[in-house]
Amino acid sequence: MDLSKRLIITQPMYFSEPSKKCGYCNGDKQKESQFYALQSWEECANTKGDENKHYNCTVGFQCESMSVEVYDKLCNNGFRRSGKFLYKPDLLRSCCRLFTIRTQPDQVKLTKELKTCVKRFCKNVGFTQLDEEKSKKKKNAPFIYREILTEAQLNSPRFHTILEPAVFTKEKYELFAKYQEQIHNDLKHSESGFKRFLCDSPFSDEIVQGTWEEWDSLNSIYNQKGNDSKIITPYRLGPAHECYYFDDKLIAIGVLDFLPSGISSVYFIWDPDYKHWSLGKLSALKELTLLDAMKLPYYYLGYYVEDCHKMNYKASYGGELLDIVNLEYISLNYLKQENILDGGRLFVMSKKGDENDYEIQMNNALKKCGDDAYPSMIQLDKLTNIAEQLYGSHSDKGAYANLSQAVEDLQELGIRYTLDSRDDILDFVKNKNKANDEDDNESDSDYETEQENDAVEAEDIDPRLKFPNVIPGLIPLPELRTMVAENQLSELNGNLFLFDLAVHRIRPVFDILEESPQTLLMVCNLVRVVGLELTKQCLVIIT
């Protein structure tokens, strides 16, 4: 078994914490309604008296080994990474809706604020040619920030950047410590924490270190004249640190991932003494300039949160948001013009006249995720938002159609999914089952006893493996039931490997349906999260 080609991860788990621990809203929003993904969920919470019970909910796993190509696919499936930890928000239950955002250089709205940032940078680094060159051009000539930033760095006697491997140095950590203390009031930072957060990655050492040719080609961007006939197109796959130096002092670090489909901005830290430089804005424009030089299509800015000022500034760079259910990108301008994002609500787009009352089949979408770079849906005026239709609380349609039957069928196969209060459908299910019980001359107490028995049987399952049955962007349980019924999970046999920490042994899965209840549930969760094809490539670390 060639471990270098394996996706080595821990079992995926569901994490839920109070919204006060959310890094975006800190449990504090202007309006109560902004905590909820949909209006019906807000109304449901008000009815139950749950107004102050908001949570930050994610699905995540630790990843010890992953190819850059696989991570590219997962980025286009709503995942992000923090060091080696990969996570994807539950957009239905979290206090904030975190949408993957990407853009391209020509989509940037070059506002007065951004132009001022570029001009200030040129002045600070001693690039005095900007005004001279502008005077030679027409008064209304376009302000091409990529050319200006490249020329400024090429001709600056005081400023330069270096792209290098994402590895620890004392100089980097000291800048990080200063940034954390003065900007985020964080006094609990440590070298090990910095390494885990901004140096560690799931990629191999060879990918992390790269080659001399890769780094030379990247750093030659600012050494090449525009009329040089031998200009090379830089190439790099993997993580990087772009270190900003002014008078040979490290003043900022951009943490980047170079992916087949573009550049992903992981994090950015800067020296508080240079706050007046607006280095955060500058870094985005510089990374877009880098993207252009590398002839890559997309710049990933992380997550966009409509009702969070710390995250909605990204709209200045234009771009598209990921529809997590359809796995298609939708124009951010369109979503804002149609008021679809108002209040930070969840959106799921569908062509008018083609609205379904059930979730789409996800496995094939996950299989091809990232392969086509996902252009935005065309004919935007013919789209409609069906998020409420799919995920509206207390509905017998959409994602909840046939859910109770799917849970029952999976239970009969030994897969311990249960109806969960986090699905917000228990009232509906109880009423429905009560009606069925009356038809079959069964009492309501029989139903309650049956649910209690299910709960007892599931007590030995790690609670973090008990995902809500409905999570946008995960394979729906009715589809999983069909996959099991059609024996598709047998494709895992001989392909999926498990590393059992209890016995320190790696073993293949020979018969997935004969695995222990906890292992079987874990594998089904993994299939729901990343799809069947990626699951076949996994070595899963279990306890």
Side-chain angles (χ1 to χ4, degrees):
M1 177 178 58
D2 187 355
L3 291 180
S4 66
K5 296 181 179 179
R6 285 274 161 185
L7 174 57
I8 303 177
I9 64 174
T10 60
Q11 51 197 3
M13 293 185 174
Y14 189 83
F15 302 92
S16 182
E17 60 183 6
S19 61
K20 289 183 179 180
K21 295 186 178 181
C22 172
Y24 302 101
C25 72
N26 301 118
D28 183 20
K29 296 202 176 193
Q30 292 183 345
K31 298 179 180 179
E32 176 72 16
S33 60
Q34 293 175 317
F35 285 104
Y36 301 98
L38 299 169
Q39 182 177 345
S40 62
W41 280 64
E42 177 190 358
E43 293 170 353
C44 178
N46 292 338
T47 301
K48 293 181 177 180
D50 293 340
E51 295 90 339
N52 298 314
K53 296 181 180 179
H54 315 298
Y55 297 91
N56 176 32
C57 307
T58 58
V59 174
F61 52 82
Q62 191 79 358
C63 184
E64 295 299 323
S65 180
M66 174 183 288
S67 71
V68 179
E69 291 80 5
V70 167
Y71 181 59
D72 196 4
K73 288 178 177 286
L74 291 177
C75 277
N76 284 289
N77 181 16
F79 277 92
R80 296 289 292 171
R81 75 174 184 89
S82 174
K84 293 185 176 182
F85 184 72
L86 271 72
Y87 59 96
K88 179 178 184 177
D90 177 349
L91 298 186
L92 195 57
R93 295 167 187 80
S94 282
C95 47
C96 296
R97 253 56 59 203
L98 280 61
F99 297 110
T100 297
I101 179 173
R102 73 179 190 188
T103 191
Q104 295 178 301
D106 292 335
Q107 294 180 338
V108 176
K109 302 174 183 176
L110 208 58
T111 61
K112 182 179 179 180
E113 186 178 23
L114 290 179
K115 287 182 180 180
T116 299
C117 173
V118 173
K119 293 175 182 177
R120 184 187 301 119
F121 167 73
C122 291
K123 181 179 180 180
N124 288 334
V125 303
F127 179 58
T128 60
Q129 300 174 26
L130 179 60
D131 292 333
E132 296 175 10
E133 294 195 5
K134 280 184 63 181
S135 65
K136 296 177 184 178
K137 299 180 180 180
K138 295 180 180 179
K139 186 176 182 180
N140 295 323
F143 188 91
I144 306 177
Y145 67 92
R146 302 189 297 280
E147 293 181 5
I148 294 171
L149 290 175
T150 301
E151 285 294 315
Q153 182 160 337
L154 183 62
N155 294 284
S156 171
R158 307 179 65 185
F159 177 86
H160 68 282
T161 62
I162 296 176
L163 283 147
E164 63 183 40
V167 296
F168 175 88
T169 68
K170 197 75 173 178
E171 182 183 37
K172 292 177 184 177
Y173 173 66
E174 289 173 353
L175 176 60
F176 174 76
K178 185 176 182 180
Y179 174 76
Q180 290 297 108
E181 290 172 9
Q182 296 189 30
I183 301 301
H184 295 295
N185 196 29
D186 172 20
L187 303 179
K188 297 181 180 180
H189 55 79
S190 64
E191 290 189 3
S192 59
F194 170 72
K195 290 177 184 177
R196 282 195 307 271
F197 180 31
L198 297 177
C199 299
D200 289 351
S201 73
F203 312 118
S204 68
D205 290 340
E206 292 79 9
I207 293 296
V208 171
Q209 292 297 329
T211 65
W212 179 88
E213 289 80 9
E214 284 180 336
W215 300 115
D216 184 59
S217 68
L218 285 173
N219 289 305
S220 69
I221 291 173
Y222 300 109
N223 297 321
Q224 301 180 102
K225 295 291 184 180
N227 57 0
D228 190 340
S229 61
K230 295 183 179 180
I231 289 179
I232 59 174
T233 300
Y235 176 79
R236 162 74 179 155
L237 285 181
H241 284 169
E242 183 171 19
C243 300
Y244 293 53
Y245 291 92
F246 182 65
D247 290 339
D248 295 324
K249 175 187 177 183
L250 182 65
I251 64 169
I253 305 171
V255 184
L256 307 173
D257 282 331
F258 291 100
L259 310 174
S261 68
I263 297 176
S264 173
S265 175
V266 179
Y267 203 67
F268 187 74
I269 60 177
W270 42 273
D271 189 329
D273 292 344
Y274 294 81
K275 183 177 181 179
H276 60 288
W277 281 39
S278 300
L279 285 167
K281 297 181 180 69
L282 180 71
S283 69
L285 295 176
K286 278 183 60 60
E287 286 158 14
L288 282 158
T289 300
L290 180 61
L291 181 89
D292 191 52
M294 297 181 73
K295 294 181 169 47
L296 293 171
Y298 298 110
Y299 177 53
Y300 298 90
L301 294 87
Y303 289 130
Y304 176 87
V305 184
E306 172 68 15
D307 58 341
C308 175
H309 72 277
K310 293 188 294 185
M311 303 299 285
N312 61 18
Y313 74 90
K314 298 176 183 180
S316 300
Y317 303 99
E320 307 158 344
L321 301 187
L322 179 65
D323 179 338
I324 195 65
V325 174
N326 290 291
L327 295 183
E328 293 278 359
Y329 284 90
I330 309 297
S331 163
L332 177 55
N333 282 342
Y334 171 80
L335 293 169
K336 293 177 78 68
Q337 289 169 5
E338 298 297 315
N339 301 317
I340 291 172
L341 298 175
D342 282 4
R345 299 295 198 194
L346 172 66
F347 74 88
V348 180
M349 306 308 293
S350 178
K351 294 179 182 179
K352 291 180 181 178
D354 191 32
E355 301 94 335
N356 295 319
D357 60 356
Y358 53 84
E359 286 186 284
I360 68 166
Q361 301 292 291
M362 290 291 300
N363 187 51
N364 287 335
L366 290 171
K367 182 177 179 180
K368 72 172 186 175
C369 189
D371 291 346
D372 303 318
Y374 295 114
S376 296
M377 285 183 176
I378 59 174
Q379 296 180 303
L380 293 174
D381 60 321
K382 295 185 178 180
L383 294 180
T384 183
N385 182 13
I386 61 170
E388 189 74 61
Q389 179 176 319
L390 284 180
Y391 299 108
S393 184
H394 292 284
S395 171
D396 60 342
K397 297 181 180 179
Y400 306 121
N402 303 316
L403 180 60
S404 58
Q405 186 61 53
V407 170
E408 182 179 330
D409 292 345
L410 290 167
Q411 286 177 344
E412 290 181 359
L413 294 166
I415 305 173
R416 292 188 178 179
Y417 286 104
T418 58
L419 293 176
D420 191 315
S421 60
R422 290 174 300 184
D423 293 315
D424 271 40
I425 60 164
L426 280 188
D427 290 344
F428 163 72
V429 172
K430 279 189 177 182
N431 289 336
K432 182 178 179 181
N433 281 345
K434 183 176 180 180
N436 290 338
D437 288 344
E438 289 173 352
D439 291 339
D440 296 332
N441 295 319
E442 293 182 12
S443 68
D444 188 48
S445 60
D446 292 334
Y447 168 75
E448 293 175 350
T449 301
E450 180 182 338
Q451 296 302 303
E452 291 171 0
N453 291 337
D454 288 341
V456 171
E457 291 176 3
E459 283 181 355
D460 59 334
I461 300 293
D462 188 326
R464 293 172 298 178
L465 293 180
K466 297 176 183 177
F467 291 19
N469 292 327
V470 174
I471 302 180
L474 267 60
I475 290 178
L477 285 189
E479 181 181 358
L480 179 67
R481 174 193 59 189
T482 300
M483 293 171 69
V484 175
E486 294 178 353
N487 205 30
Q488 293 182 42
L489 292 193
S490 65
E491 295 179 27
L492 299 174
N493 298 337
N495 288 311
L496 173 63
F497 282 75
L498 305 178
F499 178 28
D500 192 336
L501 289 178
V503 296
H504 297 283
R505 182 168 66 93
I506 296 176
R507 65 176 179 84
V509 169
F510 287 119
D511 189 341
I512 182 61
L513 294 180
E514 292 299 318
E515 292 289 334
S516 69
Q518 177 149 321
T519 299
L520 182 55
L521 180 62
M522 178 276 295
V523 172
C524 287
N525 285 341
L526 180 57
V527 170
R528 293 185 66 199
V529 172
V530 302
L532 188 61
E533 287 301 310
L534 275 186
T535 302
K536 290 193 292 186
Q537 302 174 30
C538 284
L539 186 158
V540 186
I541 302 170
I542 61 175
T543 56

